Amino acid sequence: MSTPDGQATPKPLLSVLYGAKPDIPPMWLMRQAGRYLPEYRALRAEKGGFLELVYDSACAAEITIQPLRRFAFDGAILFSDILIVPYALGQKLWFEAGEGPRMAPPLIEADLASLIPDFSRFEAVYETVRQVKASLAPEVTFLGFAGSPWTVATYMVAGQGSKDQGPARRLAYGDPEKFGAIIDAIVDATVTYLSGQIEAGVEAVQLFDSWAGSLAPLEFERWVIQPNAEIVRRVKALHPQVPIIGFPKGAAAKLPDYAAGTGVDAVGLDETVDPHWANAVLPKGLPVQGNLDPLALIAGGEAVEKSVANIMAAFRDRPHIFNLGHGILQDTPIEHVERLIAVIRNQG
């Protein structure tokens, strides 16, 4: 398969993003570099907190590569975090053990203008990319990523994760001008961040909109589709050959509008999406990614085999990257991942 400029690529995953339809889909798993791996847990125990790992480029590069030593994945996903963007925009960021991220000041209380951006906070991530790029096998596609503006804004506004993203939704309804300024700042920073990752060596990028499903239709158009479309437009202007995967978790019936409105090169599907429905309603030829339930992978056995067969049958005639419907869970058995790979390879 060739890239849009006519150059051949030996990378199966990248070729699917350019429209190839191999009998056996390439695969990677969201959060494949992480807590289900004992080698990751050992390194984290040695280094301490999560941010300490992200900002030690050698450690972050090692974590990115760890799953590729165990499994025949076709993609490597950069080890970092979506909250590096608000950290670069000037919010304080730390992780409470067992409770997740905390950010200060919360923008439900503070003004965006009170933050002092420092984009040098991206540099350690770019160095991680350079180190990983130098050691990847030639057939592996290197994926960078960022959080989509709506999802990132939910953390910036609340100062932490929230059950229903209520603080951000209230602000978006009650003061759309203030909320729009936050979204615009995230868009600008994200374009800079993704462009820097691409210049350092990633070959495709994914936009994670983990909380897209919490918005009503008109709000989805304003805070999910429009900002992502702006990021896609601006990144493509700088790097026209680099594919962009959009992952609007929970978008459900709004997926066709998302695909048409954002201009992404591929759409990631969460585990709640019927793959046969998605194949019927998404634009013909648009690559898709997904969408095995992470809990099915924990169960293993027949649950995985039936799900894999159903997903692959749905996308038999469409460019497809096999993945989970969300991130791999901490208690996933290693042998179940090994078995998943074997099942996929035998389905072609």
Side-chain angles (χ1 to χ4, degrees):
M1 184 68 188
S2 298
T3 65
D5 60 1
Q7 300 299 310
T9 175
K11 300 172 183 285
L13 195 156
L14 192 60
S15 73
V16 169
L17 290 172
Y18 289 135
K21 293 184 284 189
D23 290 336
I24 299 173
M27 69 173 296
W28 66 283
L29 303 180
M30 287 183 278
R31 292 189 191 149
Q32 68 186 28
R35 296 179 298 170
Y36 73 109
L37 293 175
E39 54 266 42
Y40 169 83
R41 296 195 297 270
L43 187 56
R44 179 160 182 173
E46 174 189 333
K47 295 298 293 185
F50 181 82
L51 269 185
E52 285 75 10
L53 290 176
V54 170
Y55 274 90
D56 184 325
S57 296
C59 282
E62 164 65 16
I63 292 167
T64 301
I65 294 167
Q66 281 177 347
L68 299 174
R69 296 197 185 105
R70 281 186 177 268
F71 311 118
F73 291 144
D74 298 289
I77 180 72
L78 172 67
F79 178 75
S80 186
D81 193 87
I82 65 169
L83 298 183
I84 298 304
V85 162
Y87 185 49
L89 283 170
Q91 276 189 308
K92 296 178 182 177
L93 172 64
W94 69 100
F95 287 79
E96 295 284 353
E99 297 184 12
R102 296 290 186 269
M103 312 184 72
L107 295 185
I108 194 72
E109 303 166 356
D111 200 55
L112 181 67
S114 68
L115 303 182
I116 301 175
D118 180 3
F119 285 0
S120 70
R121 290 173 171 172
F122 291 151
E123 291 300 328
V125 177
Y126 302 156
E127 177 58 23
T128 299
V129 173
R130 288 188 283 268
Q131 292 188 24
V132 172
K133 183 70 172 179
S135 60
L136 279 184
E139 69 274 11
V140 175
T141 299
F142 192 6
L143 298 152
F145 74 91
S148 288
W150 161 251
T151 289
V152 172
T154 66
Y155 290 94
M156 294 184 74
V157 169
Q160 60 185 9
S162 54
K163 186 176 181 180
D164 61 358
Q165 296 75 58
R169 291 164 63 198
R170 287 171 182 263
L171 183 61
Y173 280 124
D175 193 344
E177 183 175 351
K178 177 178 178 177
F179 192 73
I182 295 169
I183 291 288
D184 290 345
I186 296 169
V187 168
D188 290 344
T190 301
V191 171
T192 298
Y193 186 43
L194 291 177
S195 183
Q197 290 181 37
I198 292 165
E199 290 167 2
V202 304
E203 299 159 301
V205 295
Q206 177 157 311
L207 289 164
F208 284 85
D209 224 341
S210 303
W211 301 124
S214 62
L215 288 171
L218 293 179
E219 300 298 285
F220 185 91
E221 168 67 30
R222 175 66 185 89
W223 307 123
V224 171
I225 291 179
Q226 292 180 24
N228 280 289
E230 180 67 6
I231 291 171
V232 170
R233 183 188 68 78
R234 290 168 60 180
V235 171
K236 287 289 188 180
L238 296 168
H239 309 282
Q241 307 300 327
V242 175
I244 300 174
I245 306 166
F247 178 56
K249 187 175 187 296
K254 297 186 283 292
L255 272 168
D257 289 342
Y258 176 92
T262 61
V264 293
D265 298 290
V267 173
L269 310 175
D270 68 67
E271 66 272 21
T272 68
V273 175
D274 178 347
H276 297 274
W277 171 84
N279 187 57
V281 301
L282 289 173
K284 184 177 175 60
L286 178 73
V288 295
Q289 178 177 277
N291 64 332
L292 180 68
D293 189 339
L295 287 170
L297 184 57
I298 290 178
E302 184 180 1
V304 164
E305 294 183 14
K306 289 176 63 177
S307 295
V308 168
N310 184 52
I311 292 165
M312 291 183 64
F315 300 131
R316 183 69 64 191
D317 298 320
R318 178 185 288 273
H320 176 219
I321 297 165
F322 199 95
N323 207 315
L324 299 176
H326 201 218
I328 190 169
L329 296 168
Q330 181 176 359
D331 54 340
T332 302
I334 297 294
E335 58 270 25
H336 289 192
V337 180
E338 295 170 341
R339 178 59 184 160
L340 171 65
I341 295 170
V343 169
I344 291 169
R345 301 296 191 236
N346 289 332
Q347 291 281 331

